[in-house]
Amino acid sequence: MTTEVHLSPQAVEKSTRRTRKPGLTGWFFVGPVVLGVIAFQFLPVAISLYASLTNWTGLTPPQFAGLSNYIELFTKDPLFWLTLKNTVVFTIGSVALSVALGLALALLCNQEDLPGIGLFRAAFFAPVVTNAVAVGFVWFWLYQPQDGLINGTLREFGVQGPAWLSSNNWAMVAVIIVAVWQGVGYPMLILLAGLQGIPASLHEAARVDGANAWSRFWRITLPLLTPHLFFLTIMQFITSFQVFGIIFVMTHGGPANATNVYIYQVYQSAFSYGRLGYAAAMGWILFLIVGAVTFFQWRLEKRWVFYGD
């Protein structure tokens, strides 16, 4: 037996208002964030996409040019390929060294019984949060061929140091060294967290079975760190491909474009040459390159990443 309940129109409207009120309250809190994302992320992306299809100087109204900027990039601009090559060289060198040294420092800082270990961890991580301009100026002085600390120290041992920042052969090496010095603390921190998450019982069981330290590292530690290494390779690649600060401060892309990287050339195109539309096209090419490489890294994930399931 069922009982039908008949509500008056006033009761139905009151119930509807009560149901609608929590939704409106939620939008009241979420709305500013949504508007911020639209205004400062989606809208600039849409504007840059349109700008990449125009001849826009920033001072005159944009004139639609179709794909001419992209065609010029791939067929008429030798600096596009040169800066792309320099960026790839910088990325491979800095990412490989940062991750390798970060792992070595993480293993060192994982020694809880080492006196002053907290101070060492803070010291290794401090350059990560140091302003890139300050880092660039300090290392610019260190690299000076006559008065710099590095070449001065080498002379004490009878070695004549190179002209680090004015040599085509050494400039990129010098920049990579600075980038690794500044950024190695981040992979160290991530890998240290991974090391501290590995159960000690696994190492104890392997030690009982007669495995030495090297075997335990290759058979236990490294496989269980692969998720952290996977995360680092993606993040470090994206960061390194957008290097700008230390190039701007230390070399300005020189000598003879030896350290002229992609983002610095985007900056030059936009603010030195007044070609904002062309710079926007370069930005979208960078987006596609980073997206493609990241997708390729995700596709390879299952072949070498071990999650310990």
Side-chain angles (χ1 to χ4, degrees):
M1 182 176 179
T2 59
T3 303
E4 294 184 0
V5 178
H6 297 280
L7 299 177
S8 64
Q10 293 80 6
V12 172
E13 183 179 355
K14 186 176 182 180
S15 176
T16 303
R17 284 200 304 268
R18 288 178 178 175
T19 304
R20 190 186 302 121
K21 187 176 180 180
L24 294 176
T25 303
W27 277 109
F28 176 78
F29 288 101
V30 175
V33 178
V34 173
L35 291 176
V37 170
I38 293 174
F40 297 107
Q41 293 189 24
F42 292 155
L43 187 59
V45 167
I47 292 174
S48 70
L49 180 59
Y50 172 72
S52 71
L53 303 174
T54 65
N55 293 324
W56 184 35
T57 64
L59 300 176
T60 58
Q63 298 177 351
F64 186 77
L67 298 176
S68 62
N69 288 329
Y70 295 93
I71 294 173
E72 181 179 349
L73 272 173
F74 286 104
T75 60
K76 300 179 181 179
D77 189 355
L79 281 179
F80 169 75
W81 297 106
L82 177 61
T83 57
L84 189 59
K85 184 197 76 171
N86 289 343
T87 305
V88 170
V89 171
F90 173 86
T91 299
I92 293 174
S94 62
V95 171
L97 289 174
S98 294
V99 174
L101 290 177
L103 178 57
L105 291 176
L107 291 170
L108 175 64
C109 292
N110 196 38
Q111 310 299 318
E112 296 292 346
D113 56 345
L114 188 67
I117 191 62
L119 180 62
F120 281 108
R121 292 171 179 171
F124 290 140
F125 186 75
V128 177
V129 294
T130 304
N131 184 272
V133 175
V135 170
F137 275 119
V138 170
W139 278 90
F140 181 81
W141 171 76
L142 292 175
Y143 278 136
Q144 290 303 300
Q146 300 301 325
D147 304 325
L149 181 62
I150 295 176
N151 281 2
T153 303
L154 291 176
R155 279 194 295 271
E156 294 296 324
F157 293 93
V159 178
Q160 181 61 40
W164 294 94
L165 300 179
S166 57
S167 169
N168 289 358
N169 297 325
W170 286 100
M172 182 59 76
V173 176
V175 170
I176 290 175
I177 290 173
V178 177
V180 172
W181 177 86
Q182 184 183 17
V184 72
Y186 180 72
M188 180 209 73
L189 188 68
I190 299 297
L191 294 172
L192 178 60
L195 288 172
Q196 295 182 346
I198 298 176
S201 58
L202 295 177
H203 287 282
E204 292 295 333
R207 189 179 293 110
V208 170
D209 290 339
N212 57 29
W214 187 250
S215 297
R216 294 197 304 272
F217 173 77
W218 280 104
R219 305 279 181 158
I220 297 175
T221 303
L222 198 58
L224 292 177
L225 285 179
T226 49
H228 304 79
L229 292 171
F230 172 66
F231 168 77
L232 283 174
T233 53
I234 291 179
M235 297 304 297
Q236 294 291 96
F237 165 78
I238 295 174
T239 302
S240 297
F241 227 82
Q242 301 177 65
V243 61
F244 174 78
I246 57 176
I247 300 293
F248 180 79
V249 174
M250 295 177 60
T251 66
H252 294 283
N257 291 311
T259 60
N260 192 2
V261 291
Y262 197 89
I263 289 295
Y264 186 76
Q265 186 61 24
V266 172
Y267 163 81
Q268 289 280 87
S269 298
F271 301 107
S272 296
Y273 310 143
R275 303 189 64 187
L276 269 68
Y278 193 74
M282 293 185 69
W284 276 94
I285 294 296
L286 177 64
F287 168 75
L288 294 176
I289 292 173
V290 172
V293 174
T294 303
F295 175 77
F296 181 72
Q297 289 175 305
W298 276 101
R299 295 287 295 178
L300 295 179
E301 175 198 11
K302 295 182 180 178
R303 298 189 179 184
W304 65 280
V305 180
F306 174 72
Y307 288 101
D309 296 333

